[in-house]
C-alpha cells in the first residue's frame, strides 16, 4: 500500500491559493538538443525527466509575467521572467501521452504531468521572491523590467518587448535597481492568427533543499492564445538578446539554447478589462431656452 505524502508547509505570512487580480503573459518556446537539458535536470531536478518532442528534442520556454494582486492592505504589481524546461516526474512516465510540440502547446496533455521545471526566475518584487522560494522551491532572485505590451490603452499591435535588468534586495526588503541589462526578449505577433490553447492548469515543478520534488498547479481561467512560429518565414518573429551571458540567467540560457535555434511557438494571456472609463462630453450651459 502506498503511503500518503504530507502536504508541503505554508509558512507565515503566506496564504494559498494565491489569487491573481490580473495577468499578462508572453511565453516563447524552443526545441533544443536534449543532452544539455538532461544534464541540467540531473543536477537541479533529479526526479524529473525532460519531455521528448520532434526528433527527440527537448523543449525550453522563456516566459514573462506581469500580474496584479489585491491584499488586505491594498494592491501590488509584480513582474518576473522564467527560464523553464518542460519535464515530468520520472516515476509517472507510464501515464504520459505521446505528443508533438504543437499538440502539447495546445493543451492536449490532460494529465498535466508535462510541467515547467524552473531553472531561473527573475522577479521585481522581494515579497514574491520570498514566496516563490519558500512555497514552491523556485530558484528566484531580483531583477527589474522595462516592457512594451499589447494594450487596449495603447496603440494597436501585438508586439511584446521585454528588457530584464539586474537588481539586488536592500534593507527592509526594498528592490535596489541596477542599470545593467540581462536580456531582451521580443515577440512580433502582428498579422498572425492565434489558436485557443487549453493548457491550464500549468504544473510548476520545484526541488527543495532536502531534495524533495514538489508540484504547484496554476489555474488560468480562460484559454491561452498560441502562435505557431515553426514555418521558416516566421523564424525572426521571436528574438532573444543576452547582455549578461556569464550571469546565472545568461549561463542557463546559453547552456540550454546553444546557438539559439528559431523559436517554434509563442503563447500569450491577457486578462480582459473589468471596467472602462469613457470619453467625456460637453454639456450645454447658460440659460435654458
Amino acid at each position: 500500500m502506498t503511503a500518503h505524502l504530507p502536504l508541503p508547509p505554508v509558512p507565515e505570512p503566506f496564504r494559498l491559493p494565491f489569487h491573481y487580480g490580473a495577468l499578462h503573459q508572453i511565453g516563447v518556446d524552443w526545441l533544443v538538443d536534449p543532452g544539455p537539458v538532461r544534464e541540467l535536470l540531473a543536477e537541479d531536478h533529479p526526479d524529473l525527466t525532460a519531455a521528448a518532442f520532434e526528433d527527440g528534442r527537448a523543449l525550453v520556454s522563456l516566459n514573462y509575467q506581469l500580474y496584479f494582486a489585491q491584499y488586505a492592505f491594498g494592491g501590488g504589481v509584480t513582474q518576473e521572467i522564467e527560464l523553464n524546461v518542460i519535464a515530468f516526474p520520472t516515476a509517472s512516465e507510464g501515464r504520459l501521452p505521446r505528443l508533438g510540440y504543437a499538440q502539447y502547446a495546445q493543451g492536449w496533455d490532460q494529465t498535466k504531468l508535462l510541467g515547467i521545471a524552473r531553472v531561473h526566475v527573475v522577479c521585481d518584487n522581494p515579497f514574491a521572491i520570498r514566496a516563490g522560494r519558500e512555497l514552491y522551491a523556485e530558484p528566484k532572485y531580483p531583477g527589474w523590467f522595462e516592457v512594451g505590451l499589447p494594450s487596449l490603452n495603447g496603440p494597436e499591435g501585438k508586439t511584446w518587448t521585454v528588457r530584464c535588468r539586474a537588481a539586488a534586495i536592500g534593507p527592509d526588503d526594498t528592490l535596489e535597481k541596477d542599470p545593467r541589462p540581462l536580456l531582451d526578449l521580443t515577440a512580433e505577433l502582428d498579422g498572425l492568427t492565434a489558436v485557443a490553447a487549453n493548457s491550464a492548469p500549468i504544473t510548476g515543478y520545484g526541488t527543495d533543499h532536502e531534495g524533495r520534488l514538489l508540484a504547484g498547479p496554476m489555474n488560468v481561467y480562460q484559454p491561452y492564445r498560441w502562435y505557431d512560429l515553426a514555418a521558416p518565414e516566421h523564424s525572426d518573429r521571436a528574438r532573444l538578446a543576452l547582455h549578461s551571458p556569464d550571469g546565472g540567467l545568461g549561463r542557463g540560457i546559453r547552456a540550454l539554447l546553444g546557438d539559439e535555434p528559431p523559436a517554434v511557438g509563442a503563447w500569450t494571456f491577457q486578462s480582459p478589462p473589468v471596467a472602462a472609463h469613457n470619453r467625456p462630453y460637453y454639456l450645454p450651459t447658460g440659460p435654458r431656452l
Side-chain angles (χ1 to χ4, degrees):
M1 183 176 179
T2 303
H4 293 288
L5 295 174
L7 287 171
V10 180
E12 292 289 344
F14 305 115
R15 297 286 184 272
L16 291 179
F18 173 76
H19 295 279
Y20 294 70
L23 172 66
H24 299 267
Q25 187 173 19
I26 172 79
V28 178
D29 295 334
W30 291 268
L31 288 171
V32 301
D33 177 2
V37 175
R38 291 170 184 156
E39 292 177 8
L40 184 144
L41 285 180
E43 182 177 345
D44 292 352
H45 300 289
D47 292 312
L48 293 176
T49 296
F53 295 95
E54 285 82 352
D55 301 321
R57 288 177 293 175
L59 185 61
V60 172
S61 180
L62 191 65
N63 80 79
Y64 161 82
Q65 301 176 34
L66 164 68
Y67 55 90
F68 166 79
Q70 181 258 324
Y71 303 96
F73 56 81
V77 176
T78 299
Q79 298 178 87
E80 58 185 67
I81 196 165
E82 298 182 347
L83 176 64
N84 298 316
V85 169
I86 307 309
F88 60 88
T90 305
S92 300
E93 183 172 10
R95 293 180 54 200
L96 285 172
R98 183 175 299 172
L99 299 175
Y101 163 70
Q103 295 169 329
Y104 159 76
Q106 293 175 72
W108 287 27
D109 171 30
Q110 291 305 307
T111 73
K112 302 307 177 186
L113 290 169
L114 290 177
I116 53 174
R118 295 183 176 97
V119 179
H120 291 281
V121 183
V122 184
C123 177
D124 69 355
N125 182 331
F127 186 75
I129 293 171
R130 180 184 165 196
R133 290 173 177 173
E134 296 186 19
L135 294 173
Y136 298 106
E138 296 181 28
K140 203 165 192 175
Y141 50 91
W144 63 286
F145 300 87
E146 297 173 323
V147 300
L149 313 179
S151 172
L152 292 175
N153 294 322
E156 292 186 7
K158 293 194 291 186
T159 292
W160 299 65
T161 60
V162 178
R163 167 162 284 192
C164 177
R165 296 183 182 271
I169 297 178
D172 300 321
D173 280 342
T174 57
L175 189 78
E176 296 182 344
K177 295 181 178 180
D178 187 317
R180 292 175 299 159
L182 300 180
L183 65 79
D184 292 340
L185 178 66
T186 302
E188 296 178 348
L189 307 177
D190 305 83
L192 297 178
T193 300
V195 175
N198 182 29
S199 48
I202 296 172
T203 304
Y205 292 116
T207 301
D208 68 15
H209 294 299
E210 286 74 39
R212 295 172 297 190
L213 179 65
L214 54 84
M218 177 177 170
N219 288 308
V220 178
Y221 298 138
Q222 294 182 3
Y224 278 85
R225 298 170 65 84
W226 175 68
Y227 297 85
D228 187 353
L229 303 181
E233 62 266 28
H234 299 321
S235 62
D236 63 346
R237 289 277 190 165
R239 300 184 298 277
L240 176 63
L242 286 179
H243 300 291
S244 182
D246 297 324
L249 178 61
R251 285 198 310 271
I253 290 174
R254 285 194 297 118
L256 296 179
L257 295 186
D259 295 330
E260 192 191 333
V264 291
W267 39 275
T268 65
F269 181 88
Q270 293 194 271
S271 294
V274 298
H277 198 166
N278 297 312
R279 184 170 180 170
Y281 55 92
Y282 291 115
L283 295 170
T285 59
R288 186 168 55 185
L289 297 179

